[in-house]
Amino acid sequence: MTEQSVFSLGVVEGFYGRPWPHSARLAYAGYLSQLGLNSYLYCPKSDPFLRRRWQELWSSETHGELQELAETYSAAELDWGVGLSPYALYENYGNPQRQALKRKVEYLSALKMPTLAILFDDMPGALESLADRQAEIVADVCAWAPSTRILVCPTYYSFDPVLEKYFGNMPVNYWRQLGRDLPVDVDIFWTGNSVCSESISGADIDRINGELGRRVMLWDNYPVNDGAIRSNFLYSTPLSQRGPDLAGGLTGHYCNPMNQPLLSLMALYGLADLYGVPTPEEQPWLNQIYGRETYEQLLLDKTEFEALGLSGMGERRCHELARLYGGFSGNAAAEVAAWLRGEYTFDPACLTD
């Protein structure tokens, strides 16, 4: 990380399933500012033009929305960026593919965003030259976007053995080689000892920093609820079980939120608290955003939502609560009611996109 780089604290919209509406992304410029956070990364897995169809361009409508986001976050003096996942590009990175990537990077750079992430996560990885090819791709991106902060998510972004189960055996010395060969200004994402880590300590971060030979950027998969198990729950407890000594080993800390944007705000309080960022008083702030009725009811129901979830509460209880929240005004109540009705149910097919 260069001396000019700011310690990133914010949100990475990097989940599977139902994406956030444009209005929520715009509103988050204000929410992040109020929480003392400074960064937002747009990379929903449901956007095919960032992943499987990465060589294609967005519609004029979507491009206009992203341009509006870039301008809104810039006006709020927040760091905004896009995460590009050129699916398995490292398997065949010849001149045609290189030129296609250059065109896409130049297209993205026209948004005048301060950050661009190249994401190799959740792709096949059992390739001997994996680190070589990924470092080559990132070096090209750095050359094409010299004034942009570049972030990278490795294919193996955690010590969790589940990654090798789904994406193949990790090449020998993958992390050491990647950390050595990536440009020194590039930040590397890491999710902790697990894909969704219950706790993260300074010692955990020191371990991966030792492997990579540099400090990592934490991609914290809390309160994300996009998986087959986690979509059953709403997580509203502020981020916790993260060591107070993390900052010295990191270049930043992003949280991957829930599919429900407003309901994620309760959990994000913990991110600001972890780094001693001054925050507004929680109750009046969330009363204003959620509406008093909704916020007070959430405080009553949060234990059920986190501990029992949809399956544990049962169909009858979910139906009763959906009717209750459906009678409240505001988007936060609508998010709860939609979740209770099963409208955020996880579709495993999305993992193949």
Side-chain angles (χ1 to χ4, degrees):
M1 185 171 68
T2 64
E3 293 182 358
Q4 291 75 29
S5 294
V6 174
F7 191 89
S8 299
L9 281 177
V11 165
V12 51
E13 185 188 346
F15 46 77
Y16 288 93
R18 182 171 168 174
W20 285 4
H22 179 60
S23 58
R25 298 183 184 116
L26 284 173
Y28 252 73
Y31 300 148
L32 293 178
S33 293
Q34 292 159 20
L35 284 174
L37 305 177
N38 61 20
S39 300
Y40 186 107
L41 189 64
Y42 170 85
C43 50
K45 293 293 195 293
S46 59
D47 187 335
F49 302 103
L50 290 177
R51 198 160 171 84
R52 287 282 189 175
R53 298 169 60 187
W54 65 269
Q55 297 188 38
E56 300 176 42
L57 305 182
W58 287 301
S59 67
S60 58
E61 179 183 0
T62 299
H63 187 270
E65 290 180 346
L66 295 175
Q67 185 65 58
E68 184 181 12
L69 285 174
E71 293 168 357
T72 299
Y73 278 74
S74 177
E77 298 184 342
L78 299 172
D79 181 30
W80 184 82
V82 171
L84 178 65
S85 300
Y87 196 84
L89 176 62
Y90 43 80
E91 293 181 345
N92 183 18
Y93 190 55
N95 189 61
Q97 293 79 17
R98 186 173 184 269
Q99 293 305 312
L101 181 62
K102 182 180 181 182
R103 288 192 296 270
K104 187 72 173 211
V105 170
E106 291 173 345
Y107 171 72
L108 293 174
S109 296
L111 292 171
K112 296 183 171 59
M113 56 194 180
T115 299
L116 173 62
I118 303 299
L119 308 176
F120 298 118
D121 58 307
D122 299 349
M123 303 179 192
L127 181 70
E128 185 176 350
S129 60
L130 186 66
D132 289 327
R133 297 288 74 73
Q134 290 179 348
E136 179 184 1
I137 290 167
V138 174
D140 282 342
V141 171
C142 291
W144 298 327
S147 61
T148 303
R149 186 180 190 181
I150 305 298
L151 317 178
V152 170
C153 186
T155 303
Y156 302 92
Y157 49 82
S158 166
F159 290 119
D160 198 327
V162 73
L163 296 178
E164 289 191 294
K165 176 182 177 181
Y166 285 105
F167 305 115
N169 293 332
M170 182 175 67
V172 176
N173 293 323
Y174 171 70
W175 289 320
R176 291 183 181 276
Q177 186 176 350
L178 197 66
R180 182 195 67 204
D181 293 347
L182 285 176
V184 295
D185 290 342
V186 168
D187 291 303
I188 302 176
F189 275 126
W190 187 253
T191 69
N193 292 332
S194 302
V195 172
C196 296
S197 298
E198 290 189 8
S199 63
I200 303 173
S201 69
D204 296 331
I205 297 302
D206 288 344
R207 180 183 173 196
I208 184 57
N209 287 350
E211 291 282 347
L212 290 165
R214 63 174 77 193
R215 291 180 293 163
V216 292
M217 173 87 72
L218 192 59
W219 175 311
D220 198 328
N221 277 320
Y222 183 83
V224 68
N225 64 343
D226 60 351
I229 295 174
R230 294 178 70 89
S231 62
N232 192 51
F233 303 94
L234 287 182
Y235 300 102
S236 55
T237 297
L239 178 74
S240 61
Q241 299 189 69
R242 272 66 179 148
D245 56 343
L246 289 181
L250 299 174
T251 59
H253 189 156
Y254 285 81
C255 280
N256 194 8
M258 296 189 291
N259 293 84
Q260 301 82 13
L262 289 178
L263 300 182
S264 298
L265 291 172
M266 296 175 75
L268 292 174
Y269 250 88
L271 179 61
D273 286 345
L274 178 62
Y275 295 95
V277 177
T279 56
E281 189 178 348
E282 182 175 359
Q283 182 174 345
W285 188 63
L286 289 175
N287 274 339
Q288 182 179 13
I289 296 170
Y290 291 176
R292 183 177 299 276
E293 275 187 318
T294 300
Y295 179 60
E296 291 180 352
Q297 190 64 42
L298 274 169
L299 294 180
L300 295 175
D301 298 329
K302 61 177 291 185
T303 299
E304 282 188 278
F305 291 171
E306 291 190 358
L308 299 178
L310 298 175
S311 59
M313 289 187 294
E315 185 176 344
R316 180 176 178 179
R317 176 64 171 158
C318 289
H319 180 69
E320 291 174 351
L321 287 171
R323 287 180 59 191
L324 176 63
Y325 282 94
F328 298 156
S329 62
N331 290 331
E335 287 180 7
V336 181
W339 172 74
L340 289 163
R341 291 192 298 264
E343 294 179 19
Y344 289 93
T345 301
F346 178 72
D347 179 6
C350 72
L351 292 174
T352 65
D353 292 337

